[in-house]
Protein backbone atom coordinates (compact mmCIF):
# COMPACT_ATOMS: atom_id res chain seq x y z
CA UNK A 1 0.00 0.00 0.00
CA UNK A 2 1.40 3.40 -1.04
CA UNK A 3 1.73 5.84 1.87
CA UNK A 4 1.96 9.52 0.94
CA UNK A 5 3.56 12.35 2.89
CA UNK A 6 2.58 15.87 1.83
CA UNK A 7 4.59 18.88 3.03
CA UNK A 8 3.11 22.39 2.92
CA UNK A 9 5.72 25.17 2.99
CA UNK A 10 4.10 28.45 4.00
CA UNK A 11 1.44 26.69 6.06
CA UNK A 12 0.90 29.68 8.35
CA UNK A 13 -0.42 31.94 5.59
CA UNK A 14 -4.06 32.29 4.58
CA UNK A 15 -3.74 29.92 1.63
CA UNK A 16 -1.49 27.54 3.56
CA UNK A 17 -3.87 27.21 6.50
CA UNK A 18 -6.96 26.70 4.33
CA UNK A 19 -5.09 24.16 2.21
CA UNK A 20 -3.79 22.32 5.27
CA UNK A 21 -7.33 21.99 6.63
CA UNK A 22 -8.53 20.33 3.43
CA UNK A 23 -5.49 18.05 3.27
CA UNK A 24 -6.13 17.05 6.89
CA UNK A 25 -9.52 15.75 5.80
CA UNK A 26 -8.25 13.90 2.72
CA UNK A 27 -8.24 10.08 2.82
CA UNK A 28 -5.42 10.09 0.25
CA UNK A 29 -2.88 11.89 2.47
CA UNK A 30 -1.25 9.67 5.11
CA UNK A 31 1.12 12.20 6.66
CA UNK A 32 0.83 15.98 6.65
CA UNK A 33 3.92 18.06 7.46
CA UNK A 34 3.57 21.83 7.90
CA UNK A 35 6.28 24.48 7.82
CA UNK A 36 6.72 28.21 7.98
CA UNK A 37 8.80 30.51 10.14
CA UNK A 38 6.08 31.51 12.58
CA UNK A 39 2.79 29.60 12.81
CA UNK A 40 3.21 26.06 11.49
CA UNK A 41 3.49 24.36 14.87
CA UNK A 42 0.31 26.07 16.06
CA UNK A 43 -1.54 25.23 12.87
CA UNK A 44 -0.53 21.58 13.24
CA UNK A 45 -1.77 21.42 16.84
CA UNK A 46 -5.00 23.12 15.84
CA UNK A 47 -5.62 20.65 13.00
CA UNK A 48 -4.63 17.70 15.20
CA UNK A 49 -7.85 18.31 17.16
CA UNK A 50 -9.81 17.27 14.06
CA UNK A 51 -10.24 13.47 14.09
CA UNK A 52 -8.24 11.73 11.37
CA UNK A 53 -5.97 8.70 11.06
CA UNK A 54 -3.32 10.79 9.36
CA UNK A 55 -0.04 11.79 11.07
CA UNK A 56 0.38 15.58 11.33
CA UNK A 57 3.41 17.62 12.40
CA UNK A 58 4.45 21.26 12.21
CA UNK A 59 7.77 23.10 12.57
CA UNK A 60 8.95 26.68 12.32
CA UNK A 61 12.73 26.45 12.73
CA UNK A 62 14.53 26.57 9.38
CA UNK A 63 17.63 25.07 11.01
CA UNK A 64 16.20 21.61 11.72
CA UNK A 65 12.46 21.95 11.24
CA UNK A 66 12.58 22.24 7.46
CA UNK A 67 14.75 19.14 7.20
CA UNK A 68 12.28 17.17 9.29
CA UNK A 69 9.40 18.39 7.15
CA UNK A 70 11.08 17.51 3.85
CA UNK A 71 12.62 14.18 4.78
CA UNK A 72 10.73 11.43 2.91
CA UNK A 73 8.21 13.95 1.54
CA UNK A 74 6.42 12.63 -1.55
CA UNK A 75 4.79 15.96 -2.44
CA UNK A 76 5.95 19.45 -1.47
CA UNK A 77 3.48 22.30 -1.92
CA UNK A 78 4.97 25.80 -1.78
CA UNK A 79 2.47 28.51 -0.86
CA UNK A 80 5.02 30.89 0.69
CA UNK A 81 5.23 34.35 -0.83
CA UNK A 82 4.76 38.09 -0.29
CA UNK A 83 1.53 39.20 1.33
CA UNK A 84 -1.18 40.46 -1.02
CA UNK A 85 -1.03 43.72 0.93
CA UNK A 86 2.55 44.28 -0.22
CA UNK A 87 1.76 43.86 -3.94
CA UNK A 88 1.20 47.60 -4.37
CA UNK A 89 4.87 48.19 -3.61
CA UNK A 90 5.92 46.16 -6.63
CA UNK A 91 6.22 48.45 -9.64
CA UNK A 92 7.24 45.74 -12.10
CA UNK A 93 6.93 41.98 -12.62
CA UNK A 94 10.61 41.73 -11.82
CA UNK A 95 10.06 43.29 -8.37
CA UNK A 96 7.41 40.70 -7.48
CA UNK A 97 9.49 37.89 -8.93
CA UNK A 98 12.60 38.81 -6.96
CA UNK A 99 10.66 39.16 -3.71
CA UNK A 100 8.99 35.78 -4.21
CA UNK A 101 12.23 34.14 -5.35
CA UNK A 102 14.00 35.29 -2.20
CA UNK A 103 11.32 33.51 -0.18
CA UNK A 104 11.04 30.26 -2.12
CA UNK A 105 14.63 30.00 -3.33
CA UNK A 106 15.94 28.52 -0.06
CA UNK A 107 12.97 26.13 -0.01
CA UNK A 108 13.77 24.84 -3.50
CA UNK A 109 17.43 24.45 -2.53
CA UNK A 110 16.39 22.42 0.51
CA UNK A 111 14.15 20.18 -1.59
CA UNK A 112 17.04 19.51 -3.97
CA UNK A 113 19.29 18.46 -1.10
CA UNK A 114 16.86 16.66 1.22
CA UNK A 115 14.15 15.16 -1.02
CA UNK A 116 15.48 15.31 -4.60
CA UNK A 117 12.82 12.96 -5.98
CA UNK A 118 9.83 14.73 -4.45
CA UNK A 119 7.02 16.22 -6.51
CA UNK A 120 7.13 20.02 -6.14
CA UNK A 121 4.04 22.16 -6.66
CA UNK A 122 4.50 25.93 -6.79
CA UNK A 123 1.44 27.97 -5.82
CA UNK A 124 3.37 31.18 -5.12
CA UNK A 125 3.15 33.95 -7.73
CA UNK A 126 4.24 34.78 -10.34
CA UNK A 127 3.92 31.12 -11.37
CA UNK A 128 4.92 31.89 -14.97
CA UNK A 129 8.39 32.91 -13.83
CA UNK A 130 8.82 30.99 -10.57
CA UNK A 131 8.54 27.58 -12.20
CA UNK A 132 11.40 28.31 -14.65
CA UNK A 133 13.29 29.84 -11.70
CA UNK A 134 12.82 26.64 -9.68
CA UNK A 135 13.82 24.51 -12.66
CA UNK A 136 17.15 26.33 -12.89
CA UNK A 137 17.83 25.92 -9.18
CA UNK A 138 17.07 22.20 -9.41
CA UNK A 139 19.30 21.88 -12.49
CA UNK A 140 22.15 23.35 -10.46
CA UNK A 141 21.85 20.36 -8.14
CA UNK A 142 21.24 17.89 -11.00
CA UNK A 143 17.82 17.05 -9.59
CA UNK A 144 15.50 18.66 -12.16
CA UNK A 145 12.82 16.28 -13.44
CA UNK A 146 10.10 17.92 -15.54
CA UNK A 147 7.68 15.20 -14.46
CA UNK A 148 7.98 16.34 -10.85
CA UNK A 149 7.79 20.14 -11.06
CA UNK A 150 4.36 21.77 -11.40
CA UNK A 151 3.09 25.32 -11.40
CA UNK A 152 -0.40 25.18 -9.90
CA UNK A 153 -2.85 26.89 -12.28
CA UNK A 154 -5.91 24.92 -11.18
CA UNK A 155 -7.62 28.07 -9.88
CA UNK A 156 -8.03 29.26 -13.48
CA UNK A 157 -9.71 25.95 -14.35
CA UNK A 158 -11.95 26.03 -11.29
CA UNK A 159 -13.09 29.55 -12.11
CA UNK A 160 -13.76 28.68 -15.74
CA UNK A 161 -15.81 25.64 -14.75
CA UNK A 162 -17.72 27.54 -12.08
CA UNK A 163 -18.57 30.47 -14.34
CA UNK A 164 -19.61 28.08 -17.11
CA UNK A 165 -21.87 26.16 -14.74
CA UNK A 166 -23.65 29.42 -13.93
CA UNK A 167 -24.51 29.76 -17.63
CA UNK A 168 -26.01 26.29 -17.88
CA UNK A 169 -29.62 25.38 -17.23
CA UNK A 170 -28.60 22.63 -14.81
CA UNK A 171 -25.36 21.97 -12.97
CA UNK A 172 -25.75 18.29 -13.86
CA UNK A 173 -24.45 19.16 -17.31
CA UNK A 174 -21.16 20.14 -15.70
CA UNK A 175 -21.14 16.98 -13.61
CA UNK A 176 -21.56 14.87 -16.74
CA UNK A 177 -17.83 14.99 -17.41
CA UNK A 178 -17.36 18.47 -18.80
CA UNK A 179 -14.17 20.15 -17.67
CA UNK A 180 -12.67 23.35 -19.05
CA UNK A 181 -9.01 23.30 -20.02
CA UNK A 182 -7.27 26.61 -19.31
CA UNK A 183 -3.90 26.65 -21.02
CA UNK A 184 -1.05 29.17 -21.36
CA UNK A 185 0.02 30.83 -18.14
CA UNK A 186 -1.29 31.93 -14.76
CA UNK A 187 -2.02 35.62 -15.35
CA UNK A 188 -4.84 37.54 -17.01
CA UNK A 189 -2.89 38.18 -20.20
CA UNK A 190 -1.50 34.65 -20.54
CA UNK A 191 -4.36 32.30 -19.62
CA UNK A 192 -6.48 30.89 -22.45
CA UNK A 193 -9.75 29.16 -21.41
CA UNK A 194 -10.80 26.72 -24.13
CA UNK A 195 -14.56 27.11 -23.95
CA UNK A 196 -14.91 26.14 -27.61
CA UNK A 197 -13.91 22.56 -26.75
CA UNK A 198 -16.29 21.85 -23.84
CA UNK A 199 -19.11 19.36 -24.20
CA UNK A 200 -21.79 22.04 -24.15
CA UNK A 201 -20.04 24.51 -26.46
CA UNK A 202 -22.96 24.43 -28.89
CA UNK A 203 -25.19 25.91 -26.18
CA UNK A 204 -23.01 29.00 -25.83
CA UNK A 205 -23.19 32.07 -28.04
CA UNK A 206 -19.98 33.82 -29.11
CA UNK A 207 -20.92 36.69 -26.78
CA UNK A 208 -21.25 34.28 -23.85
CA UNK A 209 -17.88 32.71 -24.65
CA UNK A 210 -16.27 36.16 -24.72
CA UNK A 211 -17.91 37.03 -21.40
CA UNK A 212 -16.82 33.75 -19.79
CA UNK A 213 -13.28 34.18 -21.06
CA UNK A 214 -13.00 37.70 -19.69
CA UNK A 215 -14.55 36.72 -16.36
CA UNK A 216 -12.06 33.88 -15.96
CA UNK A 217 -9.11 36.12 -16.80
CA UNK A 218 -10.05 38.87 -14.33
CA UNK A 219 -11.20 36.55 -11.55
CA UNK A 220 -8.30 37.48 -9.32
CA UNK A 221 -8.93 41.20 -9.73
CA UNK A 222 -12.61 40.66 -8.95
CA UNK A 223 -11.73 39.09 -5.60
CA UNK A 224 -9.16 41.78 -4.82
CA UNK A 225 -11.67 44.57 -5.43
CA UNK A 226 -14.40 42.78 -3.47
CA UNK A 227 -12.02 42.65 -0.51
CA UNK A 228 -11.26 46.37 -0.82
CA UNK A 229 -7.70 45.51 -1.91
CA UNK A 230 -7.02 44.10 1.55
CA UNK A 231 -6.87 40.47 0.48
CA UNK A 232 -6.72 38.19 -2.50
CA UNK A 233 -8.12 34.86 -3.58
CA UNK A 234 -7.11 32.70 -0.63
CA UNK A 235 -9.98 30.26 -0.06
CA UNK A 236 -10.46 29.50 -3.76
CA UNK A 237 -6.70 29.16 -4.27
CA UNK A 238 -6.54 26.70 -1.39
CA UNK A 239 -9.45 24.68 -2.78
CA UNK A 240 -7.97 24.58 -6.29
CA UNK A 241 -4.56 23.54 -4.95
CA UNK A 242 -6.17 20.83 -2.84
CA UNK A 243 -7.95 19.52 -5.92
CA UNK A 244 -4.65 19.15 -7.77
CA UNK A 245 -2.77 17.66 -4.81
CA UNK A 246 -5.48 15.08 -4.26
CA UNK A 247 -5.52 14.07 -7.93
CA UNK A 248 -1.76 13.58 -7.85
CA UNK A 249 -2.10 11.53 -4.65
CA UNK A 250 -4.75 9.33 -6.24
CA UNK A 251 -2.48 8.73 -9.25
CA UNK A 252 0.41 7.87 -6.93
CA UNK A 253 -1.82 5.28 -5.29
CA UNK A 254 -2.47 3.72 -8.69
CA UNK A 255 -5.72 5.35 -9.83
CA UNK A 256 -5.92 5.93 -13.58
CA UNK A 257 -7.29 8.93 -15.48
CA UNK A 258 -6.28 11.62 -12.99
CA UNK A 259 -5.48 14.82 -14.88
CA UNK A 260 -5.30 18.58 -14.45
CA UNK A 261 -4.01 21.62 -16.30
CA UNK A 262 -0.67 22.67 -14.87
CA UNK A 263 2.32 24.83 -15.85
CA UNK A 264 5.15 22.47 -16.78
CA UNK A 265 8.36 22.05 -18.79
CA UNK A 266 6.78 20.20 -21.70
CA UNK A 267 9.84 18.65 -23.44
CA UNK A 268 10.52 16.58 -20.33
CA UNK A 269 7.08 14.92 -20.39
CA UNK A 270 5.71 12.37 -22.83
CA UNK A 271 3.70 14.12 -25.55
CA UNK A 272 5.02 17.57 -24.67
CA UNK A 273 7.53 18.08 -27.49
CA UNK A 274 4.86 18.47 -30.16
CA UNK A 275 3.15 21.31 -28.31
CA UNK A 276 6.43 22.97 -27.34
CA UNK A 277 7.52 23.05 -30.96
CA UNK A 278 4.11 24.25 -32.12
CA UNK A 279 3.97 27.30 -29.82
CA UNK A 280 7.70 27.97 -29.56
CA UNK A 281 7.86 27.66 -25.77
CA UNK A 282 9.10 24.98 -23.40
CA UNK A 283 6.98 26.05 -20.40
CA UNK A 284 3.20 26.19 -20.77
CA UNK A 285 0.06 25.26 -18.83
CA UNK A 286 -1.39 22.16 -20.47
CA UNK A 287 -3.60 19.23 -19.44
CA UNK A 288 -1.40 16.58 -17.82
CA UNK A 289 -2.38 13.03 -16.93
CA UNK A 290 -0.68 12.02 -13.71
CA UNK A 291 1.17 8.77 -13.00
CA UNK A 292 2.72 7.34 -9.82
CA UNK A 293 5.97 9.23 -10.59
CA UNK A 294 4.29 12.61 -11.31
CA UNK A 295 3.42 13.74 -14.84
CA UNK A 296 2.67 10.75 -17.03
CA UNK A 297 1.84 12.48 -20.29
CA UNK A 298 0.71 15.78 -21.79
CA UNK A 299 -2.69 15.74 -23.46
CA UNK A 300 -2.59 17.96 -26.56
CA UNK A 301 -5.11 20.76 -25.94
CA UNK A 302 -4.54 22.88 -29.03
CA UNK A 303 -6.24 20.77 -31.70
CA UNK A 304 -9.68 22.09 -32.65
CA UNK A 305 -9.38 25.47 -30.98
CA UNK A 306 -11.38 28.40 -32.31
CA UNK A 307 -9.64 31.15 -34.26
CA UNK A 308 -10.05 33.50 -31.29
CA UNK A 309 -8.39 30.99 -28.99
CA UNK A 310 -5.54 30.46 -31.45
CA UNK A 311 -4.96 34.22 -31.49
CA UNK A 312 -5.02 34.27 -27.69
CA UNK A 313 -2.41 31.50 -27.56
CA UNK A 314 -0.14 33.56 -29.82
CA UNK A 315 -0.50 36.61 -27.55
CA UNK A 316 -0.03 34.46 -24.45
CA UNK A 317 3.20 33.03 -25.87
CA UNK A 318 4.64 36.52 -26.41
CA UNK A 319 4.16 37.47 -22.76
CA UNK A 320 5.15 34.06 -21.46
CA UNK A 321 8.43 34.27 -23.35
CA UNK A 322 9.28 37.35 -21.26
CA UNK A 323 8.11 35.79 -17.99
CA UNK A 324 10.02 32.57 -18.59
CA UNK A 325 13.18 34.44 -19.51
CA UNK A 326 12.99 36.55 -16.34
CA UNK A 327 12.54 33.48 -14.16
CA UNK A 328 15.25 31.44 -15.88
CA UNK A 329 17.80 34.25 -15.73
CA UNK A 330 17.09 34.88 -12.06
CA UNK A 331 17.35 31.16 -11.36
CA UNK A 332 20.79 31.03 -12.94
CA UNK A 333 21.98 34.14 -11.07
CA UNK A 334 20.38 33.36 -7.70
CA UNK A 335 22.98 33.27 -4.95
CA UNK A 336 24.11 34.20 -1.50
CA UNK A 337 23.35 37.92 -1.83
CA UNK A 338 19.67 37.27 -2.37
CA UNK A 339 19.61 34.64 0.36
CA UNK A 340 20.98 37.17 2.85
CA UNK A 341 18.00 39.44 2.15
CA UNK A 342 15.43 36.69 2.73
CA UNK A 343 12.49 37.91 4.85
CA UNK A 344 11.90 36.55 8.32
CA UNK A 345 8.59 34.95 7.42
CA UNK A 346 7.34 32.67 4.71
Amino acid sequence: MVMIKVAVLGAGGDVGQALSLQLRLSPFVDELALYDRTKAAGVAVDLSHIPAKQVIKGYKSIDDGLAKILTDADIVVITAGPSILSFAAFKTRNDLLESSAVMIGPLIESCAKICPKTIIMIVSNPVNALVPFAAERLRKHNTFDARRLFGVTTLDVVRAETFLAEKLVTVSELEAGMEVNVIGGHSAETMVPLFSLVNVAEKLSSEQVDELTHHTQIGGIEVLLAKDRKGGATSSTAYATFRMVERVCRAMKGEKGMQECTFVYMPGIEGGNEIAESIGLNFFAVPVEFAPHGAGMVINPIKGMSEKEEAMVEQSAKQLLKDIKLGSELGKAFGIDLLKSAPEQC
Side-chain angles (χ1 to χ4, degrees), residues 17-126:
Q17 289 195 50
L19 172 62
S20 298
L21 170 59
Q22 294 175 85
L23 292 173
R24 172 65 174 170
L25 301 174
S26 174
F28 302 102
V29 178
D30 302 290
E31 182 176 350
L32 183 59
L34 310 180
Y35 171 81
D36 70 19
R37 295 191 183 183
T38 55
K39 303 176 183 177
V43 173
V45 171
D46 191 5
L47 293 179
S48 73
H49 294 177
I50 298 173
K53 294 181 180 180
Q54 156 195 114
V55 175
I56 183 168
K57 297 177 181 178
Y59 296 93
K60 63 180 181 178
S61 169
I62 196 168
D63 296 325
D64 61 348
L66 187 57
K68 292 177 182 177
I69 290 294
L70 294 179
T71 298
D72 298 325
D74 299 291
I75 299 173
V76 174
V77 187
I78 301 178
T79 65
S83 164
I84 187 69
L85 298 181
S86 65
F87 278 15
F90 302 131
K91 297 180 181 179
T92 67
R93 291 173 181 272
N94 208 16
D95 291 337
L96 174 58
L97 171 60
E98 288 189 6
S99 182
S100 295
V102 163
M103 299 185 80
I104 80 164
L107 305 179
I108 297 294
E109 300 279 329
S110 295
C111 287
K113 296 173 183 177
I114 300 169
C115 51
K117 294 188 180 298
T118 192
I119 291 171
I120 300 175
M121 300 186 186
I122 296 179
V123 183
S124 314
N125 277 313

Side-chain angles (χ1 to χ4, degrees), residues 237-304:
T237 298
Y239 165 76
T241 304
F242 166 73
R243 170 171 141 169
M244 178 163 170
V245 173
E246 192 166 69
R247 289 186 179 184
V248 171
C249 287
R250 291 167 68 179
M252 292 177 71
K253 288 179 180 284
E255 193 168 342
K256 305 294 184 181
M258 293 293 101
Q259 66 180 66
E260 193 64 85
C261 288
T262 177
F263 194 74
V264 293
Y265 181 78
M266 293 182 293
I269 305 171
E270 181 183 345
N273 271 323
E274 179 185 355
I275 306 170
E277 292 173 1
S278 174
I279 62 177
L281 292 174
N282 287 333
F283 289 94
F284 209 66
V286 286
V288 170
E289 184 170 329
F290 302 120
H293 58 263
M297 63 179 295
V298 170
I299 301 168
N300 195 330
I302 62 177
K303 293 180 179 179

